[in-house]
Amino acid sequence: MKFNYVEGKKGDKAEKEEKTEKIEKNTKKGAASEKQAKEEKVYIIPLGGMEEVGKNMTAFQYKDEIVIVDAGLTFPEDEHLGIDVIIPDFTYLENNKDKIKSLLLTHGHEDHIGAIPYLFQKLGSTDITIYGGKLTLELAKAKFEKKDAVIPKMKVVKGRTKLKLSKYFSVEFISVTHSIADCYAICIKTPAGIIVHSGDFKVDLTPVDGEGFDFARLAQLGEEGVDLLLSDSTNAAIPGFTPSEKSVGESLREEFGKAKGRIIIAAFASHIHRLQQIVDIAQIYNRKIAIDGRSMVKVFDIASRLGYLKFPKNMIVDLHKSDKLPPEKAIILCTGTQGEPLAALSRIANGTHKYISLREGDTVIISATPIPGNEKAVYKNINHLLKKNANVVFEKVVGIHVSGHGCQEEQKIMLSLVKPKFFMPVHGEYMMLKKHKELAVATGVESDNVILAENGNKIELTKSHCRVAGKVQSGMTLIDGFGIGDVGNIVLKDRQNLADDGIVIITVSQYKNGKFNKQIELVTRGFIYNRESENLILETKELIKLELESIETKEIKEISKVKQLLKSKVGEFLYKKTNREPIILPIIMEV
Amino acid sequence: MKFNYVEGKKGDKAEKEEKTEKIEKNTKKGAASEKQAKEEKVYIIPLGGMEEVGKNMTAFQYKDEIVIVDAGLTFPEDEHLGIDVIIPDFTYLENNKDKIKSLLLTHGHEDHIGAIPYLFQKLGSTDITIYGGKLTLELAKAKFEKKDAVIPKMKVVKGRTKLKLSKYFSVEFISVTHSIADCYAICIKTPAGIIVHSGDFKVDLTPVDGEGFDFARLAQLGEEGVDLLLSDSTNAAIPGFTPSEKSVGESLREEFGKAKGRIIIAAFASHIHRLQQIVDIAQIYNRKIAIDGRSMVKVFDIASRLGYLKFPKNMIVDLHKSDKLPPEKAIILCTGTQGEPLAALSRIANGTHKYISLREGDTVIISATPIPGNEKAVYKNINHLLKKNANVVFEKVVGIHVSGHGCQEEQKIMLSLVKPKFFMPVHGEYMMLKKHKELAVATGVESDNVILAENGNKIELTKSHCRVAGKVQSGMTLIDGFGIGDVGNIVLKDRQNLADDGIVIITVSQYKNGKFNKQIELVTRGFIYNRESENLILETKELIKLELESIETKEIKEISKVKQLLKSKVGEFLYKKTNREPIILPIIMEV
């Protein structure tokens, strides 16, 4: 086998446990089959979503069969200069391509489906089938448009859909509530054990639509005996219960009622329940809606076509015609809750929007909380909007947004229903995973039975133990433009250096006799503004000339040595003069 | 005069007001002198701190005299690639250098004193005197060390110090409470009106040390009649009262009591009250302290020398010897509350610290809240610390940090004491300034008498009106290394482009006869990793060769035209291949 496989150390605790009888009482089978089951092993391999928020992806492997749950992306942080999106490292899956049977999707958010086209591009032609809810598959399908790739086989599932995927794998989809329709937990049955993956969830007792949170089926599975639960840790640090999405509807209704002029409301395009509520309340107030923002338009199209978003056709007006509506009859529904510089709301706030300019009396509602890291951008928009005399309703105003993820009490409900023997918190920073462990222990899972895993860990589950048993290659693949994987650390390091102090390019011609033409070209970008710093440029050229003369005198021949000398001399000089360290790039042309 | 001065429109409201008698009842003088006072005008010119948090600086001008309050810096945001700090644009002051009489400092935080050495560097030799508290001046003095400049004249003030600064300006310093010793509000008296500048403040009724909040003097001034109040808006959006710094001491005492092993505590170096409390509690628990972080060491030195930080000499141990202390007797007091990558706490968290490596049983206390924009970096540290099994006490735990700025009730106290006729909220984003206006109106200031100003506004105050009457040059000066002002928009734009997609440098030699040497040098940085993309490099060279041949055929002579052709052809080609837009830089060497 080609893949990186590092055999991990057996944990002392796990070994001890194998010898104890403690586990016996947790299994439902007799002593004979118990012994046999002990031999059976299934591996859980998280490739994303551990100690991070985003790019969720987990592989489940039994013998030569692999089933994948989700293939999400994440968005770059400040240090990922110029990167568009980040996906999991697929090396392990590439190297085990022939084993992969199916890709199961819990729901249609980017952090669960965004990496799918890259995965299939990387795997090449396969006959892996994708299973997921109707909306989820439609959103996944739309991702292939741009990649002119063959769209994989897809099969729609519903709550309680049971499937035999392969010789060893059977799965069942169980409906849960979240902030998009068609969300499922997945129960994975293998000869080595039964695993439940919660997907993203909250316990919304009054969901806006959909099949609801299937307490009964989860409880039934719990009664039958679940070996391992993987559960969403996003809000593990937040006590209590996440309010129902319906409560947002009530607050929005109140805000809509107060608004005298136009309403400009920003929401996550993927939050179809929120969109439905906005549409419903718009009808109550007899307002028409103009939709703005590429992703918002796309989701509106898909969701309304599939019947996930219901509204009378005539209530949608063209954006460029929205100006003709009386203000008290108009809503602009747009993207930009996170202060993304090019999103509709930011363009409205900046005054650079093609069709919408703010007027006195406009009410702007930002129906989402800033994701950590986005606060400054969001507040920048709010300041701009306030300066233009809009009435801005945001964050601090109670009730215009609720999380799609359950808080501590809901996580305890999941744990109490499924009653797993082993528990592995997923989807969250280390802080959250650790907190989720505490919650699991509080609901009765033994502390030694909780696994705090990392991406790339190969976790071995048998009837008697669950432990990290090895490691596969994992990490981030940075996507910039079309390429996969060719923006690595070197390119990123260069971008960081370029961004910090710019680049100085020295071009020199060398004759065949080893002498240099003393006409030196010196070009800078991102270092100093040359027109204001002519002297520094002249002094640097003078320095280079002297250095070249010294090189000629010393009869230094190797180009690499010449480059090195120029680099260090010029670097030192410029640092002394400016206290900056641009990249120094000497180019020697042989003529 | 040379400076940029744009005459603003007279506001309708202000004009109307001049004609009404409404204002009469607010002045204490008779009709005759009232008439004369109407002629007198003093200008308030904020050069920083309006619609932003940081780089606070305000100039006050009466006839040919200028007095400045504070000269602060701010830290760069994401888009300011490679920039170290940001200071106000000093153009207006440079152009009016001879008018400047004094620089008054409210307190010693970076956002109030950080730009002082740059200001004096820019103004050249002057005999401007700086006035401020003892600690403030000592911190300001320390800033000149690196600049090998002449340290300006400095004079120490205390609470209720009254000074006649010049023919027209008299000032008085009034003690307020904040998060550093020696904080003052400043009352500025001119023939045109009496102005109070609050400085940064909270109303701490049980301050850790210092002169306390001087209710009596502020109230007295209010009784005598204050024309204009400028007041700190930082927490204007937060209802209620900021708890006393003393309350933090109580929580810290509790946390110290619970800690079994070492305590590693991060705090703002400038927060001397917090440091004093930490030192005091350390003594109670009989622990010794090792100090870590350049700014922490510096502040400890200055503050203890001046008597602002009191502790027995033998309680401080060398950092590299701290390992020899029994864990239950050791405290590491360090910088890094904001997750700054090179700060002591981050190095401890990453495991890259020279002397301190985390051990089981360590308690890490982060005694500050993340400033918006720093959340991700702070949480990254917390995750690392938790993974190393430290007990981490942070943010969410009540009481280990309080703000140094007053909330709404305290801002109302300031307004109620000073009872200004006109009000101008300062120090804050637009959102905060606007909220502060509401508070002022709630305490009795007339809505039309509140000025929401911008940096560079020239605000005219007379006995009868206060309004924006013009504009001077203002903005940000970006400091990178030694230079002042030479990193402008062009350099920054280049850095952004370099950071996004890197640079591709094409070097070609041209013979005197106009023909090109087809040996093309192609170098990239931050674009692709060449070794992995050899084909793309070869294809690009081929394209360039064809383009050069076509240029030869067409007998195109101008170098600029050749460069333009190469730039656009190569740019298009690479975009098609990679969907990226690197900077394309053609260099033609004439040989």
Side-chain angles (χ1 to χ4, degrees), chain A residues 559-583:
Chain A
I559 290 285
S560 64
K561 180 85 183 150
V562 173
K563 283 185 179 176
Q564 194 44 54
L565 278 169
L566 288 178
K567 214 165 153 170
S568 66
K569 293 282 167 181
V570 173
E572 273 167 39
F573 175 75
L574 292 177
Y575 182 73
K576 221 180 73 193
K577 286 284 182 180
T578 65
N579 207 22
R580 298 178 205 167
E581 297 177 276
I583 293 185

CSV table of all heavy atoms in Angstrom, one decimal, chain A residues 559-583:
chain,number,residue,atom,x,y,z
A,559,ILE,N,27.2,31.8,-11.1
A,559,ILE,CA,26.0,32.7,-11.1
A,559,ILE,C,25.4,32.7,-9.7
A,559,ILE,O,25.0,33.7,-9.2
A,559,ILE,CB,25.0,32.3,-12.2
A,559,ILE,CG1,25.6,32.6,-13.6
A,559,ILE,CG2,23.7,33.0,-12.0
A,559,ILE,CD1,25.6,34.0,-14.0
A,560,SER,N,25.2,31.5,-9.1
A,560,SER,CA,24.5,31.4,-7.9
A,560,SER,C,25.2,32.2,-6.8
A,560,SER,O,24.6,32.8,-5.9
A,560,SER,CB,24.4,29.9,-7.4
A,560,SER,OG,25.7,29.4,-7.2
A,561,LYS,N,26.6,32.2,-6.8
A,561,LYS,CA,27.4,32.9,-5.9
A,561,LYS,C,27.2,34.4,-6.1
A,561,LYS,O,27.0,35.2,-5.1
A,561,LYS,CB,28.9,32.5,-6.1
A,561,LYS,CG,29.8,33.2,-5.1
A,561,LYS,CD,30.0,32.5,-3.8
A,561,LYS,CE,30.9,33.3,-2.9
A,561,LYS,NZ,30.6,33.2,-1.5
A,562,VAL,N,27.2,34.8,-7.3
A,562,VAL,CA,26.9,36.3,-7.7
A,562,VAL,C,25.6,36.7,-7.1
A,562,VAL,O,25.5,37.8,-6.5
A,562,VAL,CB,27.0,36.5,-9.2
A,562,VAL,CG1,26.6,37.9,-9.5
A,562,VAL,CG2,28.4,36.1,-9.7
A,563,LYS,N,24.6,35.9,-7.4
A,563,LYS,CA,23.2,36.2,-6.9
A,563,LYS,C,23.2,36.4,-5.4
A,563,LYS,O,22.6,37.3,-4.9
A,563,LYS,CB,22.2,35.1,-7.4
A,563,LYS,CG,21.8,35.2,-8.8
A,563,LYS,CD,20.8,34.2,-9.1
A,563,LYS,CE,20.3,34.3,-10.6
A,563,LYS,NZ,19.3,33.2,-10.9
A,564,GLN,N,23.9,35.4,-4.8
A,564,GLN,CA,23.9,35.4,-3.3
A,564,GLN,C,24.5,36.7,-2.8
A,564,GLN,O,24.0,37.3,-1.8
A,564,GLN,CB,24.6,34.2,-2.8
A,564,GLN,CG,24.4,33.8,-1.3
A,564,GLN,CD,23.0,34.0,-0.9
A,564,GLN,OE1,22.1,33.4,-1.5
A,564,GLN,NE2,22.7,34.8,0.1
A,565,LEU,N,25.6,37.1,-3.4
A,565,LEU,CA,26.3,38.3,-2.9
A,565,LEU,C,25.4,39.5,-3.1
A,565,LEU,O,25.3,40.4,-2.2
A,565,LEU,CB,27.6,38.5,-3.7
A,565,LEU,CG,28.8,37.7,-3.2
A,565,LEU,CD1,30.0,37.7,-4.2
A,565,LEU,CD2,29.3,38.2,-1.8
A,566,LEU,N,24.8,39.7,-4.3
A,566,LEU,CA,24.0,40.8,-4.5
A,566,LEU,C,22.8,40.9,-3.5
A,566,LEU,O,22.5,41.9,-3.0
A,566,LEU,CB,23.4,40.8,-6.0
A,566,LEU,CG,24.4,41.0,-7.1
A,566,LEU,CD1,23.7,40.9,-8.4
A,566,LEU,CD2,25.0,42.4,-7.0
A,567,LYS,N,22.2,39.7,-3.3
A,567,LYS,CA,21.1,39.6,-2.4
A,567,LYS,C,21.4,40.1,-1.0
A,567,LYS,O,20.7,40.9,-0.4
A,567,LYS,CB,20.7,38.1,-2.4
A,567,LYS,CG,19.2,37.8,-2.2
A,567,LYS,CD,18.9,36.4,-2.5
A,567,LYS,CE,17.7,35.9,-1.8
A,567,LYS,NZ,17.2,34.6,-2.3
A,568,SER,N,22.6,39.6,-0.5
A,568,SER,CA,22.9,39.9,0.9
A,568,SER,C,23.3,41.4,1.0
A,568,SER,O,22.9,42.1,1.9
A,568,SER,CB,23.9,39.0,1.5
A,568,SER,OG,25.1,39.1,0.8
A,569,LYS,N,24.1,41.9,0.0
A,569,LYS,CA,24.6,43.3,0.1
A,569,LYS,C,23.4,44.2,0.0
A,569,LYS,O,23.3,45.2,0.8
A,569,LYS,CB,25.6,43.6,-1.0
A,569,LYS,CG,26.9,42.8,-0.9
A,569,LYS,CD,27.8,43.5,0.1
A,569,LYS,CE,29.0,42.5,0.4
A,569,LYS,NZ,29.9,43.0,1.4
A,570,VAL,N,22.6,44.0,-1.0
A,570,VAL,CA,21.4,44.9,-1.2
A,570,VAL,C,20.5,44.8,0.0
A,570,VAL,O,19.9,45.8,0.5
A,570,VAL,CB,20.8,44.7,-2.6
A,570,VAL,CG1,19.5,45.5,-2.7
A,570,VAL,CG2,21.7,45.0,-3.7
A,571,GLY,N,20.2,43.6,0.4
A,571,GLY,CA,19.3,43.4,1.6
A,571,GLY,C,19.8,44.1,2.8
A,571,GLY,O,19.0,44.9,3.4
A,572,GLU,N,21.1,44.0,3.1
A,572,GLU,CA,21.6,44.7,4.3
A,572,GLU,C,21.4,46.2,4.2
A,572,GLU,O,21.0,46.9,5.1
A,572,GLU,CB,23.1,44.4,4.4
A,572,GLU,CG,23.4,43.2,5.2
A,572,GLU,CD,24.9,42.8,5.1
A,572,GLU,OE1,25.7,43.7,5.0
A,572,GLU,OE2,25.1,41.5,4.9
A,573,PHE,N,21.8,46.7,3.0
A,573,PHE,CA,21.8,48.1,2.7
A,573,PHE,C,20.4,48.7,2.9
A,573,PHE,O,20.1,49.7,3.6
A,573,PHE,CB,22.3,48.4,1.3
A,573,PHE,CG,22.2,49.9,0.9
A,573,PHE,CD1,23.1,50.8,1.4
A,573,PHE,CD2,21.2,50.3,0.0
A,573,PHE,CE1,23.0,52.1,1.0
A,573,PHE,CE2,21.1,51.6,-0.4
A,573,PHE,CZ,22.0,52.5,0.1
A,574,LEU,N,19.4,48.0,2.3
A,574,LEU,CA,18.0,48.5,2.3
A,574,LEU,C,17.4,48.4,3.7
A,574,LEU,O,16.7,49.2,4.2
A,574,LEU,CB,17.1,47.8,1.3
A,574,LEU,CG,17.5,48.0,-0.2
A,574,LEU,CD1,16.6,47.2,-1.1
A,574,LEU,CD2,17.3,49.5,-0.5
A,575,TYR,N,17.9,47.4,4.5
A,575,TYR,CA,17.4,47.2,5.8
A,575,TYR,C,17.9,48.4,6.7
A,575,TYR,O,17.1,48.9,7.5
A,575,TYR,CB,17.8,45.9,6.4
A,575,TYR,CG,17.3,45.7,7.8
A,575,TYR,CD1,15.9,45.4,8.0
A,575,TYR,CD2,18.1,45.8,8.9
A,575,TYR,CE1,15.4,45.2,9.3
A,575,TYR,CE2,17.6,45.6,10.2
A,575,TYR,CZ,16.3,45.3,10.4
A,575,TYR,OH,15.8,45.2,11.7
A,576,LYS,N,19.2,48.7,6.5
A,576,LYS,CA,19.8,49.8,7.3
A,576,LYS,C,19.0,51.1,6.9
A,576,LYS,O,18.8,51.9,7.8
A,576,LYS,CB,21.2,49.9,6.9
A,576,LYS,CG,22.1,50.2,8.1
A,576,LYS,CD,23.6,50.3,7.8
A,576,LYS,CE,23.9,51.6,7.1
A,576,LYS,NZ,25.2,51.6,6.4
A,577,LYS,N,18.7,51.3,5.7
A,577,LYS,CA,18.1,52.5,5.3
A,577,LYS,C,16.6,52.6,5.6
A,577,LYS,O,16.1,53.7,5.9
A,577,LYS,CB,18.2,52.7,3.7
A,577,LYS,CG,19.6,53.0,3.3
A,577,LYS,CD,19.9,54.5,3.5
A,577,LYS,CE,21.3,54.9,3.0
A,577,LYS,NZ,21.5,56.3,3.3
A,578,THR,N,15.9,51.5,5.6
A,578,THR,CA,14.4,51.6,5.7
A,578,THR,C,13.9,50.8,6.8
A,578,THR,O,12.7,50.9,7.2
A,578,THR,CB,13.7,51.1,4.4
A,578,THR,OG1,14.0,49.7,4.3
A,578,THR,CG2,14.2,51.8,3.2
A,579,ASN,N,14.7,49.9,7.4
A,579,ASN,CA,14.2,49.0,8.4
A,579,ASN,C,13.2,48.0,7.9
A,579,ASN,O,12.3,47.5,8.6
A,579,ASN,CB,13.6,49.7,9.6
A,579,ASN,CG,13.7,48.9,10.9
A,579,ASN,OD1,14.5,48.0,11.0
A,579,ASN,ND2,12.8,49.2,11.9
A,580,ARG,N,13.2,47.8,6.6
A,580,ARG,CA,12.3,46.8,5.9
A,580,ARG,C,13.1,45.7,5.2
A,580,ARG,O,14.3,45.9,4.9
A,580,ARG,CB,11.5,47.5,4.8
A,580,ARG,CG,10.6,48.6,5.4
A,580,ARG,CD,9.8,49.3,4.3
A,580,ARG,NE,9.5,50.6,4.8
A,580,ARG,CZ,9.0,51.6,4.0
A,580,ARG,NH1,8.8,51.4,2.8
A,580,ARG,NH2,8.7,52.8,4.6
A,581,GLU,N,12.5,44.6,5.1
A,581,GLU,CA,13.1,43.4,4.4
A,581,GLU,C,12.4,42.9,3.2
A,581,GLU,O,11.7,41.9,3.3
A,581,GLU,CB,13.3,42.3,5.5
A,581,GLU,CG,14.2,42.7,6.6
A,581,GLU,CD,14.2,41.6,7.7
A,581,GLU,OE1,13.3,41.5,8.5
A,581,GLU,OE2,15.2,40.8,7.6
A,582,PRO,N,12.5,43.6,2.1
A,582,PRO,CA,11.8,43.1,0.9
A,582,PRO,C,12.5,41.9,0.4
A,582,PRO,O,13.6,41.6,0.8
A,582,PRO,CB,12.0,44.3,-0.1
A,582,PRO,CG,13.2,45.0,0.4
A,582,PRO,CD,13.2,44.9,1.9
A,583,ILE,N,11.8,41.1,-0.4
A,583,ILE,CA,12.4,40.0,-1.1
A,583,ILE,C,13.4,40.6,-2.2
A,583,ILE,O,13.0,41.5,-2.9
A,583,ILE,CB,11.4,39.1,-1.9
A,583,ILE,CG1,10.5,38.4,-0.9
A,583,ILE,CG2,12.1,38.2,-2.8
A,583,ILE,CD1,9.5,37.4,-1.5
